[in-house]
């Protein structure tokens, strides 16, 4: 699914600005987080509020190394909201929650440093 987490990897091929605009990245607030023991790799099931235009969406996120369930509710996260839903075991993940690999390869969530309205789009 991922090309490379290596910070020394070269940049991906050039794209045009119109290609970037096709990817709809929004901010949402995690409403709930629960264990996802059926996942092949350790993950949580998230329910995220993206505001009135997009609503509540589900996401499977492999963030168990850096985040405890109790700390996720109320946290804002960035996600791609216009990919097709993806079946992960018995769970349908509707958005791709975004993060970066830390020095050990574990996911660190991507989020604004100040609170912004749910549904705000990256530009």
């Amino acid at each position: 699914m991922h090309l490379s987490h290596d910070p020394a990897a070269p940049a991906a091929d050039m794209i045009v600005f119109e290609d970037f605009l096709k990817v709809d990245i929004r901010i949402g607030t995690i409403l709930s987080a629960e264990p996802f023991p059926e996942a092949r790799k350790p993950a949580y099931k998230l329910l995220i509020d993206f505001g009135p235009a997009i609503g509540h969406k589900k996401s499977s996120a492999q963030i168990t190394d850096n985040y405890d369930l109790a700390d996720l509710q109320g946290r804002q996260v960035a996600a791609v909201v216009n990919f097709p839903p993806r079946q992960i075991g018995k769970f349908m993940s509707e958005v791709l929650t975004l993060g970066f690999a830390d020095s050990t390869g574990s996911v660190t969530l991507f989020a604004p440093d100040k609170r912004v309205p749910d549904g705000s789009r990256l530009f």
Side-chain angles (χ1 to χ4, degrees), residues 54-66:
I54 295 173
H56 299 174
K57 298 291 181 181
K58 297 180 289 183
S59 182
S60 170
Q62 295 175 0
I63 57 174
T64 59
D65 287 345
N66 286 334

